[in-house]
Amino acid sequence: MPAPTSTATEASAPKVRLLAVGVLALVAVCVYAVDQLAKFLVVENLTERQPVEVIGHLVQFYFVKNAGAAFSLGSGSTWIFAIIASAVALFIIVFAPRIRSLAWAALFGLLLGGNLGNLTDRLFREPGFGVGHVIDFIQVQYFPAIFNVADIAIVASMGVFIILTVRGVPLSGRPAAVPQKNMSDATSMDVS
């Protein structure tokens, strides 16, 4: 069977690219929507710093307003995190058309949705624009941080990144072409 022509490959590339961008956008929108809905429900229904058991002491909802990054580090630098998160979101949006792998698209969708979820808090929650506190509410026993849905998506994207990198999955979704030896080279070898 003859190999596909380059024009057939080029013709399918825009479809694959559009599908990958669609997956990225769908995952990002779903993560963002779930994160913002969860935070809305927490703010409306829970009292700050009052634990609510979900699975005994193992998993609890514990509503806090986080002025910093992970583990509440850098609480005086919230505006820096807002700038970094904006840059990350912009990079993903600009980079998205290069992605052809659905797995990489899902990874960047998780990262974009989680990033935008926490960025929304930093931009629009109290105490003010760019310095807003992130709503965290999930506490797991023996885990040193309280987190939210956006944080779960960001960490999941890093896990997928490690898996795809270890497996050698390129952004194109296709393995790199294996160079084939030229048959004329093989027949002209000196066998003395």
Side-chain angles (χ1 to χ4, degrees):
M1 181 174 215
T5 64
S6 63
T7 55
T9 305
E10 290 169 7
S12 66
K15 291 179 187 174
V16 173
R17 185 180 320 134
L18 286 175
L19 181 59
V21 170
V23 166
L24 187 155
L26 180 64
V27 171
V29 166
C30 288
V31 167
Y32 180 80
V34 170
D35 176 67
Q36 291 300 301
L37 176 63
K39 289 172 180 174
F40 171 79
L41 292 173
V42 164
V43 170
E44 291 296 314
N45 297 298
L46 296 182
T47 304
E48 209 171 336
R49 302 196 178 276
Q50 294 295 314
V52 175
E53 291 185 354
V54 178
I55 304 174
H57 291 294
L58 181 63
V59 179
Q60 297 182 348
F61 287 158
Y62 190 79
F63 170 27
V64 294
K65 294 177 181 175
N66 182 355
F71 303 99
S72 295
L73 297 174
S75 56
S77 305
T78 303
W79 63 275
I80 294 173
F81 300 127
I83 291 170
I84 293 169
S86 298
V88 168
L90 183 62
F91 171 79
I92 293 171
I93 292 166
V94 169
F95 187 73
R98 296 181 182 189
I99 301 168
R100 288 175 177 76
S101 163
L102 298 183
W104 281 97
L107 176 157
F108 282 109
L110 287 167
L111 182 59
L112 181 61
N115 183 48
L116 290 175
N118 286 339
L119 179 60
T120 298
D121 287 4
R122 289 193 172 103
L123 293 179
F124 302 111
R125 291 201 187 271
E126 294 176 352
F129 185 79
V131 293
H133 296 175
V134 175
I135 303 300
D136 288 332
F137 61 93
I138 302 170
Q139 184 174 34
V140 176
Q141 190 174 20
Y142 306 120
F143 188 71
I146 301 170
F147 51 94
N148 58 42
V149 174
D151 298 333
I152 293 169
I154 292 168
V155 170
S157 75
M158 295 302 106
V160 174
F161 173 80
I162 292 168
I163 292 168
L164 293 178
T165 302
V166 167
R167 292 189 62 209
V169 177
L171 288 169
S172 67
R174 289 174 280 176
V178 178
Q180 296 182 358
K181 283 194 168 199
N182 189 340
M183 289 305 287
S184 63
D185 292 345
T187 56
S188 66
M189 288 183 10
D190 185 15
V191 235
S192 43

